[in-house]
Amino acid sequence: MTQAPTPFGARLRRAMDERGPLCVGIDPHASLLTDWGLNDDVAGLARFTRTVVEALGDRVAVLKPQSAFFERFGSRGLAVLETAVAEARERGALVLMDAKRGDIGSTMAAYAATHLDPASPLFSDAVTVSPYLGYGSLRPALDLAATHGCGVFALALTSNPEGAEFQRAVREDGRSVAATVLGHLAEENATAEGLGSYGAVVGATLGDLSAFDLAINGPLLAPGIGAQGATPADLPTVFGDAVRNVLPSVSRGVLRHGPDTGALRDAAARCADEVRAAIDQQEAQR
């Protein structure tokens, strides 16, 4: 009898406890390649990505490649991404594919299979998705994630200013769209033992979010640390009692220290320590 895979939520909690609560994005912007002294081409992309994975794959809890920066180079860029995903997972990091996929029916099922089916060369531990064709449209990804022990992070309260136009819009029942997404995720995680595998993307730059129920029993991916202006010290204010389930995401704040691998490791370690200290302080004050 085949043993069921360990759920993503349990694997994420273990990784955060052992390696620190931090997700580092692999975002090979053209400007970052230039800053590293690399050309904005496939060779530069491959060198950049390999350096980040080699520096951090055995140290941070989660690596989050932004698929768009690889897709812009076509099939050769995707080949670099495939290699990065496999090597990061071999080094023990969980891979969260930042793809923000969202569609309906068979198309959504194909997106889900791309990142959540072990037979795919882009198989990852989790993927970001967009619920704005209706939360029910995510069902193929949610179900496939459950089958293979993967995770899904749905956009809920994003850090970009434009997001409020839709996310804070109020439905006929009086709830905002964001609150509705959070409520659905809480239902998905209701039977989980420990941390659930269905998370929300909630920006660390948004200030006090006490008007929203962030207690979804799942991880809260928090972009905005570093270049966007948020700091680890802001996390308790933004997330309140849910702060222990927060997975802060930092990209340029760590990547700007490359291409020196030691500097990348030191930057990631400092950030993880600062996040852990902020969380510990919040819990000590309860």
Side-chain angles (χ1 to χ4, degrees):
M1 184 176 180
T2 303
Q3 184 175 2
T6 302
F8 171 76
R11 294 188 290 126
L12 177 61
R13 173 64 73 203
R14 182 168 62 246
M16 292 169 66
D17 289 346
E18 293 176 355
R19 296 186 170 201
L22 187 67
C23 168
V24 176
I26 305 179
D27 296 359
H29 298 266
S31 60
L32 262 177
L33 296 179
T34 299
D35 290 345
W36 279 34
L38 301 171
N39 293 329
D40 185 23
D41 55 20
V42 173
L45 175 76
R47 179 68 179 273
F48 178 95
T49 306
R50 183 170 61 251
T51 300
V52 175
V53 172
E54 289 178 352
L56 303 178
D58 62 349
R59 294 168 185 265
V60 302
V62 180
L63 286 174
K64 180 174 68 66
Q66 168 48 259
S67 63
F69 292 114
F70 297 85
E71 293 171 16
R72 70 190 183 102
F73 291 104
S75 60
R76 293 181 299 163
L78 288 175
V80 173
L81 181 58
E82 291 174 10
T83 299
V85 169
E87 292 183 351
R89 299 187 77 228
E90 287 173 2
R91 290 173 177 267
L94 299 177
V95 173
L96 167 56
M97 185 63 67
D98 196 357
K100 298 183 179 70
R101 302 305 190 201
D103 215 303
I104 60 173
S106 59
T107 306
M108 189 64 211
Y111 280 138
T114 300
H115 301 296
L116 302 175
D117 186 335
S120 169
L122 287 172
F123 175 62
S124 305
D125 296 282
V127 65
T128 57
V129 295
S130 174
Y132 298 114
L133 287 177
Y135 183 84
S137 68
L138 302 180
R139 184 50 54 191
L142 300 169
D143 290 348
L144 197 60
T147 298
H148 297 301
C150 297
V152 169
F153 287 84
L155 304 178
L157 287 159
T158 56
S159 55
N160 62 306
E162 303 88 350
E165 178 180 359
F166 290 105
Q167 295 159 14
R168 297 185 187 243
V170 178
R171 294 162 24 110
E172 291 182 356
D173 62 4
R175 289 202 303 170
S176 67
V177 172
T180 301
V181 173
L182 292 167
H184 282 304
L185 293 169
E187 292 173 0
E188 302 287 348
N189 292 319
T191 60
E193 296 182 8
L195 186 67
S197 298
Y198 303 98
V201 179
V202 179
T205 58
L206 298 178
D208 184 358
L209 291 177
S210 57
F212 295 90
D213 186 1
L214 300 179
I216 64 171
N217 193 35
L220 301 168
L221 180 69
I225 300 291
Q228 295 185 47
T231 70
D234 296 325
L235 296 175
T237 299
V238 178
F239 294 95
D241 291 342
V243 71
R244 188 169 181 270
N245 292 340
V246 170
L247 177 65
S249 176
V250 59
S251 297
R252 282 170 286 179
V254 169
L255 300 178
R256 65 183 176 85
H257 294 278
D260 181 83
T261 56
L264 287 168
R265 290 168 180 163
D266 289 345
R270 283 195 304 271
C271 191
D273 287 344
E274 291 171 1
V275 170
R276 188 184 288 110
I279 293 173
D280 289 347
Q281 182 178 1
Q282 167 78 355
E283 294 188 339
Q285 292 173 350
R286 288 183 182 179

